[in-house]
Amino acid sequence: MPMLASLIVQRTNTSARRAALRFVVAVLATVTVVCGAFLALDTEIPEWFPTVGRWIPAVVALAVIRAARLPGGLVYWWKLRPGGWRRLLAGAAVGVLVLVAVYAVAALLAQFLGIATVIDAAALGSVALMVPVFAVVFAVSTFGEEVAWRGFLQQAWSGWSFWRSSTSIGLVWVAFHVPLHGAMAVQGTLPWSTAVSATLALLPLGILLSAFVMRWGSVWPAVFAHAAPLTTLNLLTEPGELGLGDQLTIVAIGSALMLAAASVLSNGRRARSRVAAAA
C-alpha cells in the first residue's frame, strides 16, 4: 500500500508538471497574440485592459487543470483554503503591511541617496488611508493572476525548493508582462524607461508574493498584497522626472528589501515544518 500511494503521488506530480508547462506556453502565447493584435490593428490598448487582462492566467489555468484532469479541484490547485477567517485576515494584513513597508523604506533610502524626495506628510496620510480600501477593491483583479501564478504554478512546482520555484514563477510572470509593457511603450502610452523598470521589478515582487503563499499556505495574502495600489515611485515627488538609471537604482533597492523579506518568511516556514515533523 505505501508503494501504491507513492506511485499515485509520483504520477500526480508528473501530470501536474506537464500541465504547468502547457499552462506557461499557453498563457504566454495568449497574451502575445492579444497584444500583437492591438499593434497590428493600430488600436491603442485601452486603460482597462491591464486590469481585466489579469484574468487571462486564471482562465488558461482553469482550462489546463480541466484538460489534465488533475485530482483535487480548483480549491486545491488554486490554494484557496484560507485556514479560517482569522488566518485569512491576518495573512492579508501582514502581506499588505510588509509590501507597504518595503516601498516606504525604499523611498526613504532613495531620498537618503539623493535620488528623489519623499512626498509630504499630508500626502502620505492620504496614501495610508487609500491602501487598505483599494487593496480590497483591486483584489477582484489580482485574484485572476495570483490563483494561476502563486496558486496553480506554485502548487505544481511544490516539489522544488522555494527559491527555484519562486524564481521560475517570477521569470514567467515577467515574460507575461513583456508583450503588454512593450506594446504600450511602442504606442507611447507608457515611457520606455518605466516599461523597463516596472517589468524588472516584477521578479522580486513575485518571489515575495510566493513567500506569502508559502508562509500562510494560501493564495489570499498574495492576492491582497498584490492589490495594494502602491509602488515606491508613488511615495516620491515628481517620479516622472526620474531617468532610467535612477529608476533602476530604486528597483535594485526595493528588490534587495523584497528578497530579504522573502528569505525571512520562507526560512520561518521551513523551520516550523521541521519542528512539526520532528514532533
Side-chain angles (χ1 to χ4, degrees):
M1 288 298 290
M3 292 183 62
L4 178 60
S6 177
L7 181 61
I8 292 173
V9 171
Q10 183 177 359
R11 288 181 176 177
T12 300
N13 290 340
T14 300
S15 298
R17 288 171 185 168
R18 288 175 179 171
L21 179 59
R22 289 195 290 270
F23 164 76
V24 169
V25 173
V27 76
L28 294 183
T30 299
V31 73
T32 301
V33 168
V34 172
C35 293
F38 280 114
L39 291 176
L41 296 172
D42 196 22
T43 301
E44 185 175 295
I45 295 176
E47 293 182 359
W48 52 261
F49 179 75
T51 300
V52 176
R54 286 172 169 169
W55 274 87
I56 291 175
V59 173
V60 175
L62 174 61
V64 168
I65 291 170
R66 295 302 189 198
R69 298 181 179 180
L70 297 177
L74 290 182
V75 172
Y76 174 77
W77 288 106
W78 282 3
K79 297 183 75 67
L80 296 177
R81 291 188 179 90
W85 285 107
R86 290 182 179 179
R87 186 174 178 81
L88 169 62
L89 294 175
V94 170
V96 172
L97 288 173
V98 168
L99 200 55
V100 169
V102 165
Y103 292 142
V105 173
L108 291 172
L109 288 174
Q111 178 170 278
F112 176 77
L113 294 174
I115 298 173
T117 56
V118 178
I119 58 178
D120 58 42
L124 283 174
S126 299
V127 170
L129 292 174
M130 175 190 69
V131 168
V133 175
F134 281 95
V136 174
V137 174
F138 290 150
V140 176
S141 172
T142 56
F143 177 87
E145 277 206 88
E146 293 308 316
V147 295
W149 304 119
R150 262 64 64 174
F152 169 63
L153 205 53
Q154 190 160 328
Q155 186 76 352
W157 290 342
S158 59
W160 296 354
S161 68
F162 167 75
W163 289 105
R164 180 186 177 187
S165 65
S166 62
T167 302
S168 298
I169 295 166
L171 289 172
V172 177
W173 195 35
V174 168
F176 176 78
H177 284 80
V178 168
L180 175 61
H181 291 175
M184 293 174 70
V186 168
Q187 293 179 341
T189 58
L190 184 68
W192 276 105
S193 58
T194 303
V196 172
S197 62
T199 304
L200 294 176
L202 291 172
L203 178 57
L205 174 58
I207 293 174
L208 179 56
L209 293 174
S210 287
F212 291 150
V213 175
M214 180 179 180
R215 167 62 180 80
W216 297 95
S218 169
V219 77
W220 292 107
V223 169
F224 287 103
H226 186 183
L230 193 68
T231 66
T232 301
L233 295 180
N234 298 134
L235 300 177
L236 301 175
T237 59
E238 299 181 353
E241 301 299 321
L242 295 173
L244 178 58
D246 288 338
Q247 290 188 40
L248 291 179
T249 300
I250 292 173
V251 168
I253 294 171
S255 298
L257 294 171
M258 288 182 187
L259 294 178
S263 179
V264 171
L265 289 166
S266 60
N267 286 335
R269 177 70 177 184
R270 286 196 294 269
R272 281 185 292 275
S273 297
R274 288 193 295 267
V275 170

